[in-house]
Amino acid sequence: MTIAGLKKNKTYQKYASFFRLRFVMGLQYRAAALAGVVTQFMWGFLEIKVFLAFEQSSPAAFPMTFGQLAAYEWLQQAFLAFFMAWMMEPEIFECITDGNVSYELCRPVDLYHMWFARSMATRLSRGLLRCFPILTVAALLPAPYRLMPPCSLSAAVWFVITMLLGLSVTVALCMIIYMLTFFTVSSLGLRLVFSCAVEFLQGAVIPLPFFPPTLQRIMERLPFASMQNVPLLIYSGSISGAAIWRAAGLQIFWLAALILIGKNIGRYAMKKTTVQGG
Amino acid sequence: MEKTKKISGAKLYRRYLSIHVRSVMQYKASFWMTTVGQFLTSLNMLLGVYFMFRRFGSVKGYTFSEVLLCSSIMLMEYSLGECIARGFDTFPAMVRKGGFDRVMTRPRSAVLQVLGSNIELTRVGRMTMAVIMFVYGISHSGVHWSAGRVMTVIFMLIGGTALFCGIFLIYAALCFYTLDGLEFMNILTDGAREYGKYPVNLYGKRMLQFCTFAVPYALVQYYPLTYLTGRSDNLFTMFLPLLATVFLIPCYLLWRVGLRHYQSSGS
Amino acid sequence: MIVMKNICKTYKVTRRNAGFKEAARSFFRRETETVTALDHVSFTIHDGETVGYIGPNGAGKSTTVKILSGILTPDSGECLVDGRVPWKNRIRHVAQIGVIFGQRSQLWWDVPVIDSFELLRDIYSIPPDTYRANLDEMTELLGLSEILRTPTRQLSLGQRMRCELAASLLHSPKILFLDEPTIGLDAVSKIAVREFIVKRNRAHGTTVILTTHDMQDIEAITRRIILIGKGKILLDGGLDELRRGGEDIDHTVAELYRSYEI
């Protein structure tokens, strides 16, 4: 193996061991995992109940089949850890505000990559631990609450692909917030406004198809729609055919753009930190 | 020390409050930001409801302004409860850091001291949002305000605040046994705030039963609401919210049991 | 007077092993084991005594203090402090004791020290005259006049500890429990704290029970030491009897630990 290859392998190992650590930590808090599952399950159930009541009041106004809505809600709950912007890493904020980040800068890994990998690891381990019980129970429920299977095999494949892309977009978005924190005294305000706006625009308060058409068209083009909106709608067939390619393409575009923005802000932040001496 | 008159609990609580007000003044920026954040989160809730009604017009016969009335009262109850009982909500941290041992070495009731340990004034943000929604709700829902209806709203606020305080007390009581996995209690707190925006009967008959007899949300929400909106003229429903304060009794008993466990396990 | 007779206390703890496989396994099954914290602990402490309660980490020191201060209930045995069972009449009991945990503050972090004192006055319902007299005395002895108006978070560790001492004595407790009161302090503050405790004991007859790893604390403050190891009282006697000749206190204690294999 070449030296470059060896180095790359070592870096990969670092990230892998970090992921393992996170996963083990997640496993140890078994009561927390169980409680999380129960909570998210109840959440999904109540959410579906609300939509059911609206559907019964005026069925014609419902923009999708009820099964599709149920699928959207269950998947949102099952993969909450993948897409919720407010689930950021408190330790990262701490180490930026108290200046301990200068220790991190001494390590032989790129800060952006390390934090990106770390956030992915946290979200993946949390999501994977919690999704299976929710999905299993949801699939066994009677209609109209039942989680339907993916509408086709290709939809299932696309679901997985776009979900990973969506997760990456979420992390890339959070990375921008971490990097912006270097320029603030307290990250609190930034985080609050960001979390609230993203929650609404990504379709976590109500799914995007429930918004008025014009608003929906605008929201679909924003990076926030590339988070949960795309994979969840592909699963149930709300997005199909050529629209899938467009949506996935937009996801890749936003992922690249957000990473670029994050890295550049990061570069400025590093310059500022080294000049100030931490 | 000679025998002296103990100062009353209410007076002591006011002293705690004054300490918290003075502490907050030290961090004005952070206080205002959190307050604005609280405001924004409830704005999301309002927007969600707004766009649902824009599409569907009504739900189970309730209009937008009626739902606003319901959700704003619930939000006020929750904000008040959280502001008062924040000490219970943040109780895990207190236990973990050993702060509760300190409480135990002081000659006042533990409940009073825990309440005094944290009074969350930033909930004023949520409260403001709730008041705005409430004002909109009453001006558009065509409720005929009588002395009885005004009393009903006041009773709802009292009963609802007590109910949420009770739930936070249960949460703290469970902390004596484990600090792990109490997330499920969020269903009863955050869940009630989020989903209590719609009248409970929207969630079906069984949910209504649960919210009447197990955790009495319906007593401070659905039943008095039927009176407020003129769906029922049964005067009894007006006083139901006060009945919800009885919920505090089992909560307190649970706390006592938990405290005894803490004293024997020391965890 | 404090009387402890055959006090026993055990805890249940869950075991967590390292490794991925172990973590996955313990997800389904968790093993607990019982740990004995106190094993038939008995001693008597008279009014006005100064006692150093020593032993290695995990020997049962803080469990004892927690039992004496009414926080913990023992599994078995008897304990009377001035005729009261601490955990049975908690509120009446704790009004008569002062407790200092060296690692944790009892003052409110963001407000001036004097505000904390006033809140403590209300919590303990201290009569105005007593409060005034105690505050004046301690302001003078501990040199607090300069720092009473400063928020706690801005105090140095030494300043804070002096305020902690004052805070735990405002209600004139008969017994003072001190848990590592000099940890992390500089030499000047350490000496000030020690001298103050000695003075307080002489002037007011306050019983002092001190747990610490700092043997200079023991030497300066206490006349008697109780050594605990693995939950058992191993030794209880005068400080002078322990020292055979001119050895310094650190060596004496190290020798003790070695001889008891703790």
Side-chain angles (χ1 to χ4, degrees):
Chain A
M1 202 185 281
T2 62
I3 291 177
L6 199 69
K7 207 174 151 203
K8 208 170 193 179
N9 201 14
K10 272 243 174 90
T11 318
Y12 163 75
Q13 270 179 5
K14 250 176 244 156
Y15 295 141
S17 72
F18 191 85
F19 178 77
R20 242 169 64 109
L21 191 73
R22 289 265 129 175
F23 206 79
V24 168
M25 271 161 66
L27 272 177
Q28 276 188 344
Y29 296 102
R30 100 187 128 159
L34 186 69
V37 166
V38 173
T39 310
Q40 274 154 235
F41 187 81
M42 266 317 278
W43 234 252
F45 188 71
L46 290 170
E47 199 67 45
I48 291 173
K49 278 262 187 197
V50 169
F51 280 98
L52 195 61
F54 276 100
E55 199 252 6
Q56 283 162 356
S57 298
S58 43
F62 215 74
M64 50 173 85
T65 67
F66 201 80
Q68 287 176 320
L69 183 271
Y72 186 95
E73 293 298 338
W74 287 127
L75 293 172
Q76 172 175 319
Q77 290 307 322
F79 298 103
L80 202 69
F82 284 13
F83 304 118
M84 287 302 126
W86 48 264
M87 282 190 191
M88 289 186 267
E89 309 261 320
E91 288 102 354
I92 293 187
F93 286 113
E94 259 165 51
C95 92
I96 296 172
T97 21
D98 65 18
N100 276 340
V101 69
S102 33
Y103 294 108
E104 303 263 336
L105 286 171
C106 298
R107 291 195 203 170
V109 267
D110 180 72
L111 197 68
Y112 188 94
H113 293 165
M114 192 170 71
W115 284 356
F116 199 100
R118 182 197 172 122
S119 308
M120 288 288 274
T122 309
R123 285 177 184 274
L124 268 173
S125 60
R126 262 177 107 165
L128 289 178
L129 266 177
R130 291 182 176 196
C131 71
F132 294 112
I134 296 179
L135 295 179
T136 314
V137 177
L140 296 173
L141 289 176
Y145 304 103
R146 196 170 67 95
L147 167 69
M148 62 178 195
C151 62
S152 68
L153 183 66
S154 76
V157 174
W158 273 113
F159 167 67
V160 174
I161 296 170
T162 52
M163 186 160 68
L164 290 175
L165 278 171
L167 167 63
S168 311
V169 170
T170 310
V171 172
L173 208 56
C174 291
M175 287 301 295
I176 294 181
I177 300 300
Y178 295 141
M179 294 308 169
L180 284 175
T181 304
F182 279 96
F183 303 96
T184 60
V185 183
S186 153
S187 63
L188 195 67
L190 190 67
R191 271 155 78 182
L192 285 169
V193 175
F194 169 76
S195 319
C196 285
V198 173
E199 191 182 29
F200 186 73
L201 293 170
Q202 76 181 150
V205 178
I206 53 176
L208 297 194
F210 285 81
F211 284 98
T214 346
L215 199 58
Q216 191 195 340
R217 266 197 297 280
I218 299 170
M219 288 166 96
E220 271 170 357
R221 281 167 178 72
L222 297 176
F224 315 104
S226 290
M227 297 161 70
Q228 62 174 33
N229 178 58
V230 173
L232 267 45
L233 291 183
I234 286 178
Y235 180 96
S236 61
S238 292
I239 297 180
S240 58
I244 293 184
W245 288 95
R246 264 202 307 279
L250 198 62
Q251 276 187 309
I252 293 171
F253 166 75
W254 278 120
L255 179 60
L258 293 174
I259 290 179
L260 207 69
I261 295 170
K263 279 197 162 187
N264 273 307
I265 301 175
R267 204 162 302 144
Y268 277 114
M270 294 314 123
K271 231 178 253 165
K272 187 175 161 273
T273 312
T274 28
V275 168
Q276 288 182 345
Chain B
M1 202 167 80
E2 65 270 39
K3 197 91 186 140
T4 49
K5 214 169 147 262
K6 222 160 125 177
I7 76 163
S8 76
K11 199 169 165 195
L12 187 55
Y13 187 78
R14 277 204 299 278
R15 294 282 157 83
Y16 277 118
L17 180 63
S18 113
I19 289 262
H20 284 287
V21 172
R22 273 175 281 168
S23 301
V24 159
M25 288 306 146
Q26 304 269 322
Y27 304 98
K28 285 201 194 80
S30 143
F31 170 77
W32 285 115
M33 271 191 259
T34 315
T35 307
V36 171
Q38 291 288 326
F39 182 85
L40 288 179
T41 358
S42 20
L43 182 68
N44 268 0
M45 174 174 130
L46 173 64
L47 287 176
V49 175
Y50 170 75
F51 282 111
M52 286 301 275
F53 272 94
R54 215 185 126 123
R55 177 170 285 273
F56 294 97
S58 72
V59 65
K60 287 237 169 132
Y62 291 98
T63 62
F64 178 53
S65 49
E66 280 172 338
V67 165
L68 273 198
L69 205 57
C70 172
S71 51
S72 63
I73 295 176
M74 198 72 174
L75 203 57
M76 283 188 229
E77 295 163 351
Y78 181 81
S79 312
L80 284 172
E82 206 189 17
C83 167
I84 296 168
R86 184 69 170 164
F88 294 130
D89 196 23
T90 54
F91 196 60
M94 187 181 215
V95 170
R96 207 176 293 126
K97 289 183 192 152
F100 191 67
D101 285 347
R102 176 56 69 190
V103 163
M104 294 291 284
T105 62
R106 285 182 177 152
R108 294 305 297 232
S109 96
V111 167
L112 181 66
Q113 290 187 68
V114 176
L115 284 178
S117 73
N118 205 339
I119 301 169
E120 191 57 70
L121 301 167
T122 57
R123 293 319 185 247
V124 134
R126 237 203 283 270
M127 199 70 195
T128 313
M129 188 74 224
V131 171
I132 294 172
M133 285 159 61
F134 182 72
V135 170
Y136 182 91
I138 52 174
S139 56
H140 288 73
S141 60
V143 171
H144 295 290
W145 290 98
S146 60
R149 291 212 163 104
V150 174
M151 288 308 284
T152 309
V153 173
I154 295 170
F155 290 161
M156 283 166 91
L157 290 178
I158 295 172
T161 308
L163 174 59
F164 279 114
C165 287
I167 296 167
F168 284 121
L169 187 55
I170 295 178
Y171 176 71
L174 295 177
C175 291
F176 287 126
Y177 294 90
T178 173
L179 297 178
D180 224 17
L182 291 179
E183 195 186 326
F184 79 91
M185 282 298 289
N186 290 356
I187 300 169
L188 298 182
T189 55
D190 295 333
R193 183 198 65 219
E194 275 305 311
Y195 296 103
K197 62 192 171 199
Y198 297 112
V200 173
N201 67 326
L202 199 90
Y203 301 93
K205 204 170 152 201
R206 249 182 245 144
M207 186 60 92
L208 185 60
Q209 282 166 347
F210 176 84
C211 293
T212 305
F213 300 109
V215 187
Y217 298 113
L219 298 191
V220 300
Q221 197 231 31
Y222 169 67
Y223 298 114
L225 199 73
T226 58
Y227 180 74
L228 269 189
T229 55
R231 283 178 172 73
S232 144
D233 51 9
N234 187 349
L235 263 176
F236 179 61
T237 52
M238 178 179 146
F239 293 98
L240 273 178
L242 291 180
L243 194 62
T245 52
V246 177
F247 182 69
L248 280 172
I249 297 170
C251 301
Y252 180 70
L253 291 178
L254 191 69
W255 162 268
R256 290 301 300 251
V257 175
L259 186 60
R260 199 152 303 151
H261 174 83
Y262 179 84
Q263 286 185 292
S264 67
S265 73
S267 53
Chain C
M1 193 168 80
I2 299 170
V3 183
M4 287 266 261
K5 219 185 262 168
N6 289 322
I7 292 282
C8 297
K9 181 78 202 165
T10 54
Y11 298 117
K12 272 203 184 82
V13 290
T14 50
R15 229 200 330 229
R16 265 177 197 173
N17 297 325
F20 190 82
K21 236 190 234 158
E22 281 297 321
R25 209 165 58 100
S26 72
F27 188 79
F28 299 102
R29 212 163 54 91
R30 207 152 269 190
E31 292 154 22
T32 60
E33 52 188 329
T34 312
V35 174
T36 307
L38 296 180
D39 185 4
H40 296 89
V41 166
S42 308
F43 56 73
T44 303
I45 296 172
H46 295 282
D47 289 346
E49 267 197 277
T50 47
V51 178
Y53 196 53
I54 60 170
N57 287 327
K61 296 193 298 285
S62 67
T63 305
T64 313
V65 172
K66 280 185 178 178
I67 287 173
L68 286 173
S69 51
I71 298 171
L72 267 184
T73 321
D75 296 345
S76 63
E78 287 166 44
C79 174
L80 282 178
V81 180
D82 289 336
R84 297 177 304 262
V85 179
W87 57 92
K88 284 207 176 127
N89 332 343
R90 183 184 72 82
I91 289 188
R92 265 181 47 214
H93 172 66
V94 297
Q96 305 294 328
I97 63 167
V99 187
I100 288 187
F101 300 108
Q103 320 254 33
R104 297 185 223 128
S105 180
Q106 59 180 316
L107 304 166
W108 280 263
W109 201 238
D110 297 310
V111 293
V113 176
I114 188 73
D115 291 8
S116 290
F117 286 1
E118 277 167 11
L119 186 54
L120 285 170
R121 177 194 66 198
D122 296 338
I123 290 174
Y124 283 91
S125 307
I126 307 170
D129 304 343
T130 317
Y131 175 73
R132 207 56 268 163
N134 273 331
L135 186 62
D136 290 344
E137 183 188 338
M138 278 179 298
T139 307
E140 197 196 316
L141 284 179
L142 289 162
L144 301 182
S145 53
E146 306 283 301
I147 50 177
L148 280 181
R149 305 253 148 228
T150 317
T152 308
R153 74 185 138 84
Q154 290 171 8
L155 299 179
S156 72
L157 203 56
Q159 290 173 324
R160 212 193 73 200
M161 187 45 72
R162 284 188 274 148
C163 294
E164 298 279 342
L165 274 172
S168 5
L169 291 167
L170 285 172
H171 58 289
S172 313
K174 290 208 182 90
I175 304 168
L176 181 62
F177 294 98
L178 298 157
D179 184 17
E180 308 250 9
T182 59
I183 195 161
L185 299 189
D186 61 63
V188 178
S189 306
K190 269 189 187 177
I191 291 172
V193 166
R194 286 173 193 150
E195 281 178 349
F196 173 78
I197 296 168
V198 171
K199 265 187 210 148
R200 185 77 194 183
N201 165 259
R202 294 222 178 105
H204 297 261
T206 311
T207 309
V208 175
I209 296 165
L210 168 73
T211 65
T212 183
H213 290 295
D214 188 326
M215 292 308 147
Q216 269 80 42
D217 284 355
I218 299 282
E219 200 167 30
I221 299 169
T222 69
R223 308 288 291 275
R224 167 182 167 193
I225 65 167
I226 298 176
L227 173 68
I228 185 170
K230 293 177 189 156
K232 286 196 171 96
I233 300 288
L234 301 171
L235 196 92
D236 182 350
L239 190 54
D240 303 323
E241 299 158 34
L242 281 174
R243 268 188 286 192
R244 298 142 235 153
E247 305 151 76
D248 74 273
I249 180 100
D250 277 320
H251 282 101
T252 314
V253 171
E255 189 58 41
L256 276 178
Y257 280 21
R258 219 168 300 139
S259 65
Y260 287 108
E261 291 173 355
I262 52 175

